[in-house]
Amino acid sequence: MTKKRRHRRNNVNATQKATLNKDAAGSEEVGDRLSKLPNDILLNILERVDTLDAIRTCILSKRMMKLCTELSQFFLSCSSIPGHNVRTNSEYVRTNSAVAHVTDNILSTKSPEITISKLKIRFILMQPDCYTIGKSVARTMATQKVGAAEFEIITEKIHKKCSPADLLDHAKQFNDFFSACLDAFAGLKRLWLRNMRFGESDIPNILSTCKLLESLHLTNCDSGMNSVVQLEHAKLTELEVKYGKFEIVELTCLPKLQRVSYKGWFNSHKGPLYFGFVPQLSKLRLTKIGTRPTRTLELSQLLDNVPHIGNLHLDFQSEKIWVLPESPKLLRPVLSQLQQVNLDNLSEGCDLAWTMFILEAAPSLKELCITVLDHWCNMVMRDK
């Protein structure tokens, strides 16, 4: 019996070795194929994938390792949002440290003669990694030309697990990091923040420092319950706000703003947005689950200062419709340039007849898309 077991174990080991040898041979074959490609094609391939994956690929040969210093586009990411279990969190922490190390290593050894056309870094807001990333990017911006630079900052806790104290703590961590790396933020084109409750002047301060910013995403961010935030910026072209407890977001002076998206705003009496000076705004998307009584939006008032709205997307996701049908005479001045309309997740009661007020007020309309949420299992019902 003992001899048979040993013989079987030897067979298993032989099979494992054969499999490993086959995998190694396959990797070498892939490496050989890649290494035979011209440098410009290899660089094009490497710049289309996550930079950490590109580096792992380059380890296959010395020639490819040299290409890492010639990359002009970088995407370094700690992967998805952490927070579901301890093991996953520890993996995110390790990956975050790897992102910080690779960022510092690549940017410090990169040839200054090669312009960085795109630099996107997604990382967790935790010390010392975020400081390593911020200071490396700041040094690079001071010595090299950097085109589109982007920070996507994730917190250690996901929103569902964040208490009000956690939101305040995240904002404090960010403000400390922000103050320590002002030069890096001053050169950003895109910024995405999550799960932070700022002070009244924090968001305006961020915008005044990020003078090159073109895109701002705020997810589960606010300045406290029923807070009002006023946004002014010379170059911002895109704003996306998801959730948060703002009473109203006032777009006071944004001369280059073209696209606005607001999802799940807090129930307020003032409405989600105030449009001040936004002469180039052309695309607006509003998404809300109407589960509680809320102010019904009147498009004629909401868009009164928006002269060229061309694309309007309204997503309802429930049986409550939070847009008031209005007289075409009132709407025509603000919808005269409207060309595309999307009305998503309307309840069954809101058929084509409900949309007539928009059709009659938009003489330039070219495209109308309507989806009806007709299954009660998927519909969010209004609180009784």
Side-chain angles (χ1 to χ4, degrees), residues 117-364:
S117 60
K118 184 179 293 185
L119 175 63
K120 178 179 179 179
I121 310 176
R122 180 193 291 145
F123 58 96
I124 303 172
L125 183 65
M126 59 191 315
Q127 296 189 37
D129 299 335
C130 60
Y131 287 81
T132 299
I133 292 169
K135 293 182 183 300
S136 297
V137 171
R139 284 195 302 269
T140 302
M141 288 178 172
T143 58
Q144 301 182 42
K145 185 176 180 180
V146 179
E150 175 179 354
F151 280 174
E152 183 178 338
I153 301 178
I154 299 168
T155 54
E156 291 186 69
K157 286 188 177 182
I158 61 174
H159 180 65
K160 291 181 179 179
K161 296 185 178 182
C162 285
S163 66
D166 291 325
L167 297 176
L168 291 170
D169 185 55
H170 293 160
K172 183 182 183 304
Q173 291 179 51
F174 174 80
N175 284 331
D176 291 343
F177 168 48
F178 180 78
S179 299
C181 302
L182 291 176
D183 291 341
F185 282 91
L188 293 182
K189 291 288 185 70
R190 298 173 61 89
L191 177 62
W192 188 345
L193 303 177
R194 289 185 174 91
N195 309 325
M196 301 178 192
R197 178 153 292 169
F198 293 102
E200 183 178 349
S201 63
D202 287 344
I203 294 178
N205 183 46
I206 293 170
L207 287 176
S208 65
T209 300
C210 302
K211 296 185 183 301
L212 300 180
L213 202 65
E214 296 177 357
S215 177
L216 175 64
H217 289 230
L218 299 173
T219 300
N220 300 313
C221 293
D222 55 50
S223 298
M225 295 289 290
N226 300 313
S227 54
V228 176
V229 61
Q230 295 182 342
L231 304 184
E232 298 183 10
H233 198 276
K235 294 191 175 184
L236 197 71
T237 61
E238 178 184 45
L239 173 67
E240 181 175 299
V241 181
K242 292 183 178 179
Y243 310 111
K245 303 297 183 183
F246 290 116
E247 172 78 10
I248 186 170
V249 177
E250 296 186 356
L251 310 180
T252 309
C253 183
L254 297 159
K256 296 294 181 68
L257 189 67
Q258 299 175 17
R259 300 175 297 278
V260 172
S261 176
Y262 200 158
K263 181 176 182 179
W265 59 88
F266 189 60
N267 294 317
S268 68
H269 298 292
K270 295 183 179 181
L273 295 165
Y274 163 75
F275 295 104
F277 183 63
V278 286
Q280 295 191 34
L281 182 62
S282 62
K283 186 173 182 179
L284 174 64
R285 177 169 186 150
L286 298 174
T287 304
K288 183 172 172 59
I289 297 174
T291 57
R292 296 179 181 177
T294 186
R295 180 176 182 266
T296 304
L297 298 183
E298 298 178 31
L299 294 178
S300 61
Q301 294 184 12
L302 180 69
L303 301 175
D304 188 40
N305 290 332
V306 184
H308 302 297
I309 191 73
N311 188 313
L312 181 64
H313 193 145
L314 305 177
D315 192 343
F316 296 94
Q317 300 184 356
S318 70
E319 54 104 17
K320 181 175 175 59
I321 301 301
W322 31 263
V323 171
L324 179 70
E326 298 182 77
S327 165
K329 291 183 179 180
L330 292 175
L331 277 177
R332 195 167 291 119
V334 299
L335 299 185
S336 62
Q337 305 295 319
L338 190 63
Q339 296 188 8
Q340 293 179 298
V341 174
N342 284 269
L343 304 174
D344 285 346
N345 297 309
L346 288 169
S347 62
E348 281 187 295
C350 296
D351 53 15
L352 187 61
W354 184 84
T355 68
M356 289 305 296
F357 76 101
I358 293 179
L359 292 173
E360 294 172 356
S364 302

